[in-house]
Amino acid sequence: MAARASRNFLREALYRKANLKAFDGSRHSSSVAGTAPGTAPKIPHSSKKGMLLTGATIGLLIAGGAYVSTADEATFCGWLFSATKLVNPFFAFLDPEDAHWLGLSAAARGLVPKEKRPDPSILGLEIWGRKFSNPVGLAAGFDKNAEAVEGLLGLGFGFVEVGSVTPVPQEGNPKPRIFRLRQEGAIINRCGFNSEGIVAVAKRLGTQHGKRKLAEISRTSVSSNDDVQPGGKAGPGILGVNLGKNKTSEDAAADYVQGVHTLSQYADYLVINVSSPNTPGLRKLQGRKQLKDLIKKVQAARDEMQWGEEGPPPLLVKIAPDLSKEDLEDIAAVALTLRLDGLIISNTTISRPDPVSKNPVAEEPGGLSGKPLFNLSTNVLKEMYLLTRGKIPLIGCGGISSGEDAYKKIRAGATVVQLYTAFAYEGPALIPQIKAELAQCLERDGFKSVREAVGADYR
Ligand SMILES: Cc1cc2nc3c(=O)[nH]c(=O)nc-3n(C[C@H](O)[C@H](O)[C@H](O)COP(=O)(O)O)c2cc1C
C-alpha cells in the first residue's frame, strides 16, 4: 500500500515537473484531490535523474526500515527523521515552489515521519489556557490552505499556523515569486497571498475536526484517563489560523471579520496579518488609529459569536520587522489598551541586510526571510517585550535555524517561537534537533522550564 502510494506520488511529482506550465492554472485542485494524471508522462532527462535519486532514497528507506525493525520505537523514529536529510539534494534541485508543493503534498499524504518520542518535559508550557508540548511552531505561509495540518503536527511541531487565508480565493502574484539565497540561508518571496479562500479552508478544517472528534469519542469510551494532554482543536498540537485580506478589497476590516466568522471555530488562536510586504497598502494597517479600529472590529466579531466553556480563540497581530521606534510604541500602546492576546514578531523584511545585499537575487522585490532576518526581528522582539512590560505573550519568528536561535528569542522575550525558511531548507530532521538543543540550552543555564527563561536577558 505505502509503496504504491509513494510510486503514484512520485509519478505525479515528476509529471508535474515535466508539465509545469500546463499545471499552473489547476495547481491546487490537483494537489488537494491527489488525482494522478491519466496518461503516462514523458519524463525529461533531468527528471529521470531525480527519479533515480528518489528511487534510491526510497529503497534505502525501506531497506533501512527492514534492518532496524528489531530496534526500539524511539531509535527507529530518530533514524527515520535523520534519513529524510537524504532527499534534501533532490529538493534543492527543484524549483522552490515545486519543492514546496512536493513537501506539502508528502505531509498531506502521511509520507513523512511521525514523531513518536515524547518531548522533553522542560519544553512543555501553557499559554491562553492551551497546553503546548513544546514551543517550536511552523510559521504561516507553509500550509496556506490547511492541506497538511495533521502531517505537519506529526513532525513534532508544538503548533502549526495555517494561512494567510483570504476571504475570496485569489491566485497571488505571477510566478516565479519565491527565490532561494542558499548561501545566505534565506528566501525572498512575493507570493501575494495565494489562497484558496476561507470557504475551502473551512471545509478542510471542518472535515479534519469531525474525524478527530469521532476518534476522541471512541478513545474516551475505552479509557478514563483524566490527565489533560497537550494539544488543542487539531488534536495533539495547537492550530493557529492566520487571516489575510484580498488584494482588491477596499474594506480590510470586513475581510478579517469574514475570516473570523468562518474560521475561528477551528482555531486555537487567530492572527491578523497586517505585515506582508506583498499586498499593497497592507502594512499601513499597523498605524496607531488603523490598528486600533481594526482590532476593535475583529474582537467584536469574535466575541459576538457563541463560545463554549473554553471561550473564544485568542487574537494576535503579526507585525513587520521594518517599523520605527515610534511605530512600535504605538502598537504596544494599542495592544495593551485593547488587551490583545499576543503579537507575532515578525514577518519578512523589505530590507536587504548584509551579506544578502551582495547577492544579485537580492534585487528581486519581496520579503526576505531566513538567517539574515534573525538580528533585525530579534531586536524588534526585544523592543516590544520591554514596551509591553512582558504582559503580552510574544511569538518570536525570523531566522531561527537552531535550538540556540530559539533560545535567544525566548531570552529576548518570546514565549514560543516559529520558523519557516530553515525548515524549508533542512526538512523534518531539523525539528527534533532544535527541540533537543533548546532543552540543552535551558538546562545548561539552570532553567527548569521555558517560562522561566522568557525575557531572561532583562533580569
Ligand atoms: C514563501 C513564504 C510565504 C510566506 N507566506 C506568509 C503568509 O501567507 N502569511 C504570513 O503571515 N507570513 C508568511 N510568511 C512569513 C513567515 O511566516 C515568517 O514570518 C518569515 O518567513 C520569517 O520566518 P523565517 O525566517 O523562519 O522564515 C511567508 C514566508 C515565506 C518564505
Side-chain angles (χ1 to χ4, degrees), residues 79 85 116 157 160 188 221 236 243 323 326 362:
W79 183 86
K85 289 185 199 160
K116 301 253 169 80
F157 284 111
V160 165
I188 290 176
S221 63
L243 304 172
L323 298 162
E326 205 185 351

Side-chain angles (χ1 to χ4, degrees), residues 187-201:
I187 288 176
I188 290 176
N189 96 82
R190 52 168 177 272
C191 291
F193 288 167
N194 46 316
S195 171
E196 287 183 22
I198 50 175
V199 174
V201 171

Side-chain angles (χ1 to χ4, degrees), residues 139-141 144 161 163-164 178 187 189 191 193 242 273 318 346-348 369-370 373 397-400 418-422:
K144 286 181 185 271
E161 190 173 308
S164 297
I178 303 181
I187 288 176
N189 96 82
C191 291
F193 288 167
N242 179 311
N273 177 13
K318 182 166 179 179
S346 73
N347 214 313
T348 55
S369 58
L373 173 61
C397 181
I400 294 174
Q418 287 178 323
L419 68 155
Y420 181 144
T421 302

